[in-house]
Amino acid sequence: MSPSRTAPAPPGRERTGLRRFTAPRPPEPERCELCGVGLAAGHRHLVDAEQRSLTCACVPCALLFDRPGAGSGRFRTVPDRWLTDPELRLDAAAWESLAIPVGVAFFFRNSVLDRMVALYPSPAGATEGEPDPAAWEAVFGGSPLAALLQPDVEALLVRRSEGRSDCYLLPVDAAYELVGRMRLHWQGFDGGAEARAELAGFFDRLAERATVVRREGGRP
């Protein structure tokens, strides 16, 4: 008597029992890192000032840390503010004084270290530098954006290209997102066409979204 054999599955009908273990699982939904509730796309973030990290947060948790001094000041909610100063002009000498080797960078004040930090895109991601305080004041001291900038949670994003300069105040998580997206598309030494297109598209969206801050006697 010949051994019994299992009949092959009809075409188009796979064995679902095995596929339960071999098929890729759908990604887990993002959750608030404080209370664990599920998060929708476009959710808020908190900055951990001590660890210099971003934390995903639901609306109630974001509102909880949106007050000065909440949580002993360690966690701060990233605001949703987008501003621009079209009157700011950076010539080659001003940009060189900031010691930024590429044409785009963002700056934020680290409250723990009490100093300005500069970050700019590179093949390895965000590369960090420390602008000279005197150079920072000389370049940005007359801009209302520097006076409005909130430590840790907001950044000044600056691009200088072909003699033109653009300066925006934006949420710090958006600045980090830009650097991450440029790293994703980075090719060669200067980033390549895809990275430059990503940068141009980001600044186009900024121009549409940001509110112009007018200068009044050198103050916001």
Side-chain angles (χ1 to χ4, degrees):
M1 184 176 179
S2 60
S4 61
R5 297 181 179 179
T6 303
R13 294 182 59 188
E14 297 85 354
R15 295 171 187 168
T16 57
L18 180 61
R19 291 191 66 196
R20 284 203 303 268
F21 299 98
T22 59
R25 295 183 178 182
E28 292 289 332
E30 286 192 281
R31 295 189 174 277
C32 176
E33 296 180 54
L34 279 77
C35 70
V37 70
L39 295 174
H43 56 265
R44 304 291 296 276
H45 289 100
L46 308 177
V47 167
D48 183 335
E50 294 181 6
Q51 300 295 325
R52 272 189 59 181
S53 60
L54 290 170
T55 297
C56 297
C58 63
V59 172
C61 288
L63 292 175
L64 179 65
F65 290 96
D66 201 21
R67 303 189 305 271
S72 301
R74 175 178 175 179
F75 291 101
R76 295 190 60 193
T77 302
V78 177
D80 186 27
R81 183 163 65 160
W82 309 74
L83 306 173
T84 183
D85 178 11
E87 297 183 36
L88 181 67
R89 298 289 184 268
L90 280 76
D91 58 19
W95 191 246
E96 184 177 349
S97 71
L98 296 170
I100 305 297
V102 295
V104 61
F106 73 88
F107 307 84
F108 73 93
R109 178 166 291 281
N110 185 311
S111 63
V112 176
L113 301 177
D114 192 26
R115 62 178 174 84
M116 295 300 301
V117 175
L119 292 105
Y120 51 88
S122 74
T127 299
E128 184 172 316
E130 183 178 348
D132 177 73
W136 166 266
E137 181 63 25
V139 175
F140 296 107
S143 172
L145 298 186
L148 293 169
L149 184 67
Q150 296 187 46
D152 302 314
V153 295
E154 292 184 320
L156 287 189
L157 176 64
V158 185
R159 176 180 62 171
R160 187 175 185 277
S161 176
E162 300 178 353
R164 174 185 172 180
S165 55
D166 301 288
C167 183
Y168 293 89
L169 184 152
L170 71 168
V172 72
D173 53 0
Y176 276 113
E177 179 186 359
L178 170 64
V179 173
R181 292 182 67 84
M182 288 190 67
R183 181 187 181 187
L184 181 65
H185 297 286
W186 196 283
Q187 293 180 351
F189 176 76
D190 63 351
E194 289 188 19
R196 289 193 294 271
E198 187 70 35
L199 180 65
F202 188 87
F203 271 87
D204 287 343
R205 293 188 293 274
L206 273 180
E208 296 176 357
R209 184 169 189 174
T211 300
V212 174
V213 176
R214 300 296 181 186
R215 303 186 183 205
E216 296 179 5
R219 299 182 62 84

